[in-house]
Amino acid sequence: MTIHHSLDYYLGAGYIPILDRYRLKDINSEYGCFIGLDVCFPLYKVLDMEAQSLEGTWNEVNDYVTNAFNIIADGNGKEVEIKEDMKLRYVGEFIDKIKSQQKASPPTACYPIYFISVGDNEDEKLVYIGKTSAKTHRFSGGHRAALKLHAPEYEGLSKHIYFGTVVFLDHKKKYMPLEFIRPLEDAESLLSNLEAGLIYNLKSELNTTYLNKNYARFDMLINIENHSSRSDLLRSMQVSIEC
């Protein structure tokens, strides 16, 4: 299991993402959306995964980047110069300073969507898709889908949950993590569109909302990659969402 840190990628490359440039209009829907399933747990261990909230991660990213710009501005003693390639002039010499002066490490990537499966190997099947938009853990009080898995037809089957990151591409094929998209309302709308489109197209049997009617508002090609070592569930799958 590998937990990704989107901002670490940018800092490692020597620049800071300019979040105002991550907008809905900049997404190239023809290139598609990419969901990376990096995290997988047996369902009974789901509370080992920290509660996920798109809003929470979005705010953490915003705060970290804002503080980083302030540190650079203080170090330069003048207004920060922003270039078209989204790099900052002289930013490389401030990376260590940014990391040392921040109150916390760069926030992890958001894992705002999850998939529940039953069975093993070639018999494993997807049964539920959901979004992790709650500020508190959605499974702590008894999740509806988890309760449905107590039905006789699921008895004796292994049950797993996969969490995925969501990344888009702009017209220059640069990465646009969902938690970078501004404003927050647009990021949340994209997540809802993904959830609705996936449920409608993949027909996950324990879902009720979105199952029999297409509620998608944006056309989108979704590329799913299962990077977990658990199984081949949804590996290299494409889903075309049409509104």
Side-chain angles (χ1 to χ4, degrees):
M1 178 180 72
T2 302
I3 302 293
H4 287 284
H5 297 69
S6 299
L7 281 175
D8 269 348
Y9 166 80
Y10 291 93
L11 293 173
Y15 67 97
I16 311 240
I18 300 166
L19 296 177
D20 281 337
R21 296 185 180 177
Y22 291 79
R23 300 282 181 172
L24 187 61
K25 64 180 178 61
D26 298 314
I27 293 174
N28 189 319
S29 59
E30 292 183 3
Y31 293 152
C33 161
F34 295 84
I35 298 178
L37 305 183
D38 308 311
V39 179
C40 178
F41 289 101
L43 190 57
Y44 73 91
K45 289 187 175 182
V46 67
L47 296 182
D48 290 350
M49 179 71 170
E50 291 185 7
Q52 293 285 304
S53 163
L54 174 57
E55 180 180 358
T57 305
W58 191 95
N59 285 321
E60 289 174 1
V61 168
N62 182 75
D63 291 345
Y64 194 96
V65 170
T66 298
N67 290 335
F69 279 126
N70 290 336
I71 291 169
I72 293 172
D74 290 343
N76 276 319
K78 58 183 179 180
E79 185 175 349
V80 177
E81 178 183 355
I82 300 177
K83 290 189 173 183
E84 288 300 318
D85 62 1
M86 298 179 63
K87 288 190 177 182
L88 295 172
R89 189 178 181 187
Y90 311 129
V91 71
E93 63 190 87
F94 290 104
I95 294 299
D96 290 339
K97 190 174 182 180
I98 289 168
K99 289 184 175 181
S100 65
Q101 290 191 15
Q102 292 276 15
K103 294 181 180 179
S105 300
T108 61
C110 187
Y111 287 80
I113 196 159
Y114 63 90
F115 303 79
I116 297 177
S117 73
V118 298
D120 296 296
N121 303 317
E122 66 272 9
D123 294 324
E124 185 178 18
K125 67 174 181 177
L126 176 70
V127 294
Y128 190 86
I129 300 168
K131 60 181 182 180
T132 58
S133 54
K135 295 181 181 179
T136 57
H137 214 300
R138 297 189 65 177
F139 291 85
S140 59
H143 192 283
R144 181 174 57 189
L147 295 175
K148 289 181 178 180
L149 288 172
H150 290 294
E153 59 264 36
Y154 301 115
E155 185 177 356
L157 297 176
S158 63
K159 303 164 183 72
H160 286 79
I161 183 166
Y162 299 80
F163 291 90
T165 58
V166 178
V167 177
F168 299 90
L169 296 178
D170 67 11
H171 297 286
K172 296 181 179 180
K173 295 188 176 181
K174 292 183 178 179
Y175 291 119
M176 300 180 67
L178 178 65
E179 60 267 27
F180 287 13
I181 304 295
R182 290 193 172 192
L184 175 60
E185 290 75 15
D186 282 352
E188 291 176 329
S189 181
L190 284 167
L191 178 58
S192 294
N193 193 75
L194 277 176
E195 181 191 32
L198 285 168
I199 292 170
Y200 180 74
N201 282 276
L202 296 180
K203 303 299 181 188
S204 40
E205 61 195 56
L206 293 184
N207 285 101
T208 52
T209 308
Y210 308 135
L211 188 63
N212 299 312
K213 185 177 179 180
N214 185 9
Y215 285 90
R217 297 174 52 204
F218 311 107
D219 291 342
M220 195 178 296
L221 177 64
I222 303 174
N223 302 279
I224 306 175
E225 288 288 341
N226 185 347
H227 301 299
S228 76
S229 58
R230 154 71 189 161
S231 72
D232 289 330
L233 181 74
L234 302 177
R235 182 159 300 187
S236 300
M237 173 175 282
Q238 283 193 335
V239 179
S240 181
I241 294 179
E242 296 180 358
C243 59

